[in-house]
Amino acid sequence: MPNKDSWFAGFAGCSGFVVCAALLVAVTPLTAENGAWFGTPVPTAASDPRKPIMKYDDAFAPLPARFAHRPGRHDELLDGAVLKADQKRIVGFSLESLASGDRLWGRRAATPAFMHTIEWAVHELAAAGLSDARVERYAVAGSMWVPRAWQLQVLADPAFGAGSATVTLESAFPQPGGATIPDAGLTAPVIFVGHGTDADLAGRDVAGKIAVIHVRPEPSLFGSAEQGAAARVVAKGAVGVINAIEGPGNALYVDPRFACGKAPCFMIGGEDAWFLQQVIGKAANAGVLDRLKVRMNLASSEQEGLAAANGVATIRGRSERRIIINAHADGYFQGGDDNASGLAVLIGLARYFAKQPRPAHTLMFVASGGHHGPGNGPGALVTAHPELKDNTVLVINLEHVAYLDVVRGKTRAANNTGMVWETSVTESAKAVGVTNESPFLVDLWKKASRCYGVATYQSAGSSTPGDLGGYRALGVPMTQMIQSGTFYHSSGDVYESVPAEGLERAARFHAFFVESVDQAPEALVKAAKGTTYQTGDQLGEQGCGTSPARSEP
Ligand SMILES: [Zn+2]
Ligand SMILES: [Zn+2]
């Protein structure tokens, strides 16, 4: 059992998640004797964040993408294998952050790994022939929360069965804002509060306790009903919160919507969450719940005076009027889908359009500083370029564009946790948003599923969450497709979770979309919902016409 006074020493000399995890494994028993923890199997280490949690290409491959190459048109620049190579490079910057010892690792804006991502993107844009490719730095207001070391332990007690030893929950990840806890740590009894709704909290006294909230990422943390619950229970007197995720494996999760100010709030992965909830229930049944305590340790700091950057390049059109194509370069952990997928497609589209005849509009490609760290990339871009307000026709955002669906599948899980999770051969359906609901743009989006096999919902709407928020000040139409899956903002969002076929579908559809918008009268892009239009559109309402990169029959 680790000495409670020397937990910092346990981290001294270990750099990077894996080394630290290995160190902790050495001091924490992995197997319990019969009777320990009421006979509950003790969770093992966190899932290795360098590897996928799910099986991919197990018996069946993702739905194929079959697209014709047109001679001399450089369609090969949008092939899935090319895009996957770029996605691997982008994910590699996150792994660089992991290897360097960043505890909250990934491509977090203003960090070295993020800046390397932007520099790489600009290098690729320049190599594609975009002459004005450049890094545009911007100062970041405020500070960045940096967790340095932490530990979350369920403390043993003889009442929990012979051989019970203190368990360190290895997937525990502190949520943004948590302040340093003095050396001895924070030890308090636990209280389970269901989903943290007012109904769950009715009649429960959380004061002075560490609350455990059961979080169902349905379909992801982005849509989870438990957002904000951690802050609510702290407002009611809880001294700390554990957001216990119902999810595959034992992943790491981070998302500010599950934080609670300066109080310590952690998220724990599926296996740790299952263990903790099991022992809460069994301790209650044994009449010893009051002896079940958790100890939290956390050391964090705030970094100030930071700068982040956007990577920007243009393809000059016949007019100064421009179409902005954006993808955020930042992200948590590997960020395979969020947003290595979108950034890879952005680079592919830039290479493709650099080889096409000069467009009518100027195409502006932005690898943005995003919105996961401090600052906002698009917001900084809009501030630095007042000319965009008058000469932008449309902003297109590439975000989370291809992700294999993780669904609750075919067999019931042991331990009564529902159906086991499975990877589908299909991609997660994406929500199409067109801010002004322009009928012309919505009709173009209809071709995504029909002609390119892109999985979307069967509805469109005006909502555009994600990186487009910073462009709102331009007051121009904006559009995107986006989804957030099971592993959104977790270590399960890996390189392998994004199929080459899905990247190719997204890239070819967006090439078609940009070409179509470029050739259309601007009035059609601006026309609001309900406006009828005629273009002489050769594609036809139902068919895919001669669309250049359409799917082969
Ligand atoms: Zn994100
Ligand atoms: Zn994103």
Side-chain angles (χ1 to χ4, degrees):
M1 189 166 92
N3 178 338
K4 69 178 178 182
D5 296 316
S6 65
W7 74 279
F8 274 109
F11 287 97
C14 74
S15 64
F17 173 84
V18 176
V19 177
C20 294
L23 207 150
L24 289 168
V25 164
V27 296
T28 305
L30 291 180
T31 55
E33 295 161 28
N34 285 345
W37 290 106
F38 312 101
T40 311
V42 172
T44 54
S47 302
D48 185 344
R50 296 166 304 178
K51 294 179 180 165
I53 288 172
M54 307 301 297
K55 285 182 178 174
Y56 294 101
D57 294 297
D58 184 18
F60 309 117
L63 291 188
R66 295 197 185 95
F67 295 99
H69 283 174
R70 301 159 302 171
R73 290 296 302 274
H74 305 281
D75 294 317
E76 68 282 358
L77 293 169
L78 301 176
D79 282 356
V82 177
L83 301 166
K84 268 306 266 187
D86 288 324
Q87 188 223 358
K88 186 160 208 164
R89 192 73 207 270
I90 297 161
V91 162
F93 295 113
S94 286
L95 295 174
E96 167 197 315
S97 164
L98 173 63
S100 77
D102 293 341
R103 297 300 310 274
L104 175 37
W105 56 276
R107 301 181 298 278
R108 210 176 170 207
T111 63
F114 168 79
M115 294 304 291
H116 295 163
T117 312
I118 290 289
E119 285 156 12
W120 169 83
V122 166
H123 176 266
E124 293 304 311
L125 292 167
L130 282 67
S131 57
D132 63 345
R134 64 203 180 273
V135 174
E136 294 192 353
R137 287 175 175 270
Y138 56 88
V140 169
S143 59
M144 178 167 81
W145 177 78
V146 182
R148 305 282 181 192
W150 62 87
Q151 195 171 56
L152 187 59
Q153 292 182 305
V154 190
L155 304 181
D157 187 289
F160 306 154
S164 296
T166 289
V167 171
T168 299
L169 301 178
E170 306 277 4
S171 69
F173 211 88
Q175 299 306 297
T180 293
I181 303 170
D183 268 359
L186 167 70
T187 301
V190 294
I191 180 167
F192 183 70
V193 295
H195 296 279
T197 66
D198 287 342
D200 288 313
L201 290 166
R204 289 190 222 215
D205 182 9
V206 299
K209 295 176 183 160
I210 291 172
V212 178
I213 300 171
H214 184 98
V215 176
R216 291 193 83 186
E218 292 263 316
S220 74
L221 290 182
F222 178 76
S224 162
E226 293 84 6
Q227 285 183 8
R232 279 202 303 278
V233 296
V234 165
K236 287 179 185 289
V239 293
V241 176
I242 299 172
N243 295 284
I245 304 281
E246 182 180 326
N250 212 20
L252 316 175
Y253 296 81
V254 64
D255 191 303
R257 291 161 288 202
F258 296 81
C260 44
K262 292 199 174 297
C265 282
F266 287 78
M267 286 217 258
I268 57 175
E271 290 171 17
D272 282 342
W274 182 84
F275 171 80
L276 180 58
Q277 290 166 86
Q278 286 291 307
V279 299
I280 288 173
K282 290 173 180 175
N285 287 343
V288 294
L289 182 58
D290 58 330
R291 297 171 76 161
L292 184 61
K293 294 193 170 91
V294 162
R295 182 166 57 227
M296 293 176 158
N297 288 96
L298 174 62
S300 68
S301 61
E302 298 282 340
Q303 264 186 294
E304 314 223 357
L306 297 167
N310 294 308
V312 182
T314 52
I315 294 173
R316 291 259 158 246
R318 296 194 295 277
S319 110
E320 280 294 309
R321 305 285 295 161
R322 68 182 59 203
I323 299 167
I324 298 174
I325 304 157
N326 176 83
H328 73 76
D330 65 330
Y332 298 130
F333 307 115
Q334 285 197 34
D337 182 44
D338 180 9
N339 187 33
S341 67
L343 183 57
V345 170
L346 180 97
I347 299 296
L349 288 173
R351 291 186 192 125
Y352 170 82
F353 280 106
K355 298 280 191 190
Q356 304 305 311
R358 179 180 284 262
H361 296 80
T362 293
L363 306 180
M364 183 181 197
F365 294 86
V366 181
S368 97
H371 52 268
H372 292 80
N376 185 286
L381 183 87
V382 168
T383 302
H385 293 272
E387 75 278 10
L388 295 180
K389 197 162 172 56
D390 291 326
N391 65 17
T392 301
V393 176
L394 179 69
V395 186
I396 300 167
N397 184 37
L398 301 162
E399 190 163 350
H400 319 175
V401 297
Y403 181 75
L404 282 170
D405 213 3
V406 174
V407 294
R408 301 198 81 153
K410 60 194 180 191
T411 52
R412 246 195 117 66
N415 305 326
N416 196 30
T417 52
M419 303 299 275
V420 296
W421 284 271
E422 292 275 346
T423 306
S424 171
V425 301
T426 54
E427 290 148 42
S428 294
K430 289 161 279 281
V432 172
V434 180
T435 53
N436 64 345
E437 297 185 82
S438 148
F440 168 69
L441 295 178
V442 172
D443 278 352
L444 288 180
W445 275 108
K446 288 179 183 173
K447 315 287 184 191
S449 55
R450 182 176 296 143
C451 306
Y452 296 88
V454 175
T456 65
Y457 295 153
Q458 293 195 13
S459 65
S462 59
S463 169
T464 53
D467 213 35
L468 283 175
Y471 286 107
R472 218 161 288 278
L474 291 179
V476 303
M478 307 191 292
T479 191
Q480 68 180 16
M481 64 178 190
I482 192 169
Q483 60 75 42
S484 301
T486 302
F487 289 117
Y488 172 72
H489 289 179
S490 88
S491 59
D493 180 11
V494 294
Y495 165 78
E496 291 85 350
S497 67
V498 174
E501 295 86 348
L503 285 178
E504 182 162 344
R505 281 188 267 276
R508 294 203 187 280
F509 168 72
H510 279 93
F512 155 78
F513 190 91
V514 171
E515 283 167 0
S516 301
V517 170
D518 182 53
Q519 290 156 22
E522 273 184 33
L524 293 184
V525 175
K526 288 185 189 151
K529 188 176 186 177
T531 317
T532 55
Y533 72 93
Q534 275 198 314
T535 58
D537 174 14
Q538 299 306 303
L539 301 177
E541 169 63 18
Q542 294 301 321
C544 298
T546 54
S547 170
R550 75 187 188 284
S551 194
E552 285 177 344

